[in-house]
Amino acid sequence: MTAQIFAVGKFQPNDRTVQQELERSLSLLTGETIKTTAAGRTDSGVHACGQVVSIKTDSSLPLSAFVRGGNSRLPRDVRIVCAEPAADDFNARYSALRRHYRYYITTRQRALGRRYAWYYWHSLNANRLQQAAGCILGPRDFKSFCQKNAAVNHYMCHVYKARWFILDGYICFDICANRFLHNMVRSLVGTMVEIGAGKQSVDHITEILDAKDRSSAGPTAPALGLFLIKVDYNQERDK
């Protein structure tokens, strides 16, 4: 049986990872050596509330047991939301068509939620932020927004959606693309925040893309504000 598991949890620093926790829990549950394939990897400190993981198992346990039994063996900051059967050729990473990320910024200090948003004390211009986001739509080379010396075959990504908006008092950035490079979203956010704060012109983001050089882009935004929200496996795109 191939099972498709929807997991929620945050990736931890140091050596502890969601993948390790899931594999340990599911191996104890099934009595097999379970290897997981996730829809995407995230940096330490980045959160995921829409991660998808695929596994292969010969277990005859009902799918509901993977949720209840898996969660009973997981730490409290990692949860399996649901489990579904999948085709034998399904791969959580390579079958994915689009991934959605959201970044949270707060311009005021908070006691609650401080671990899940970047506190940025300068004012940000909403129009400038959105204009900058429009510059990255479509298929583009994002080498300037990727960690240097990344082990990738190419830097092309197709961005389907990029928008800034206000949600529950947070300044949020949503982005959807077919693939993401290492540090790509955080580098984009750090650069666009400089534009929104008036430190750079809106046209600067196009110049950065053309440069294909990470040193030309702005700072990398902190990991704590970034969330993997959703992974798409069908052809219908969000409007």
Side-chain angles (χ1 to χ4, degrees), residues 46-235:
V46 174
H47 316 285
C49 53
Q51 181 68 275
V52 179
V53 174
S54 56
I55 67 170
K56 291 186 181 294
T57 175
D58 293 324
S59 173
S60 59
L61 290 170
L63 288 171
S64 59
F66 283 86
V67 180
R68 294 196 306 271
N71 283 334
S72 70
R73 295 165 173 82
L74 283 170
R76 294 178 65 183
D77 58 353
V78 181
R79 295 288 92 180
I80 299 172
V81 177
C82 63
E84 298 178 358
D88 288 339
D89 61 351
F90 177 83
N91 182 289
R93 178 182 178 186
Y94 295 112
S95 299
L97 298 178
R98 292 169 303 279
R99 296 163 177 84
H100 302 246
Y101 281 90
R102 178 172 296 167
Y103 196 95
Y104 288 85
I105 296 175
T106 177
T107 55
R108 65 179 179 85
Q109 291 183 320
R110 298 171 182 264
L112 300 178
R114 66 188 183 278
R115 297 183 179 180
Y116 306 105
W118 176 18
Y119 169 51
Y120 190 82
W121 54 93
H122 297 291
S123 61
L124 296 170
N125 183 285
N127 289 333
R128 291 172 64 88
L129 287 172
Q130 193 52 48
Q131 289 174 31
C135 295
I136 66 172
L137 292 172
R140 296 186 180 276
D141 186 312
F142 284 90
K143 185 175 183 179
S144 291
F145 295 98
C146 178
Q147 185 181 57
K148 285 187 175 181
N149 303 317
V152 294
N153 296 325
H154 65 89
Y155 298 91
M156 293 297 298
C157 304
H158 192 131
V159 176
Y160 300 108
K161 178 177 71 174
R163 69 184 184 102
W164 288 88
F165 60 100
I166 303 297
L167 179 65
D168 297 330
Y170 291 92
I171 301 171
C172 298
F173 174 63
D174 268 11
I175 184 169
C176 169
N178 65 327
R179 66 192 290 260
F180 288 92
L181 304 170
H182 191 195
N183 281 350
M184 176 175 158
V185 180
R186 292 167 57 199
S187 299
L188 284 167
V189 169
T191 300
M192 284 189 277
V193 161
E194 287 200 330
I195 293 172
K199 298 179 181 179
Q200 299 288 349
S201 68
V202 173
D203 293 338
H204 186 55
I205 199 163
T206 301
E207 297 169 358
I208 295 170
L209 286 165
D210 292 340
K212 297 180 175 61
D213 181 359
R214 177 65 186 90
S215 63
S216 66
T220 302
L224 79 171
L226 183 58
F227 289 74
L228 173 61
I229 296 296
K230 182 183 177 184
V231 183
D232 289 337
Y233 293 93
N234 55 48
Q235 295 293 337

Side-chain angles (χ1 to χ4, degrees), residues 17-38:
T17 67
V18 169
Q19 180 179 12
Q20 290 172 345
E21 297 290 1
L22 280 173
E23 290 180 352
R24 179 191 62 81
S25 173
L26 295 175
S27 294
L28 288 171
L29 176 68
T30 63
E32 304 170 344
T33 301
I34 296 294
K35 297 296 182 183
T36 61
T37 299

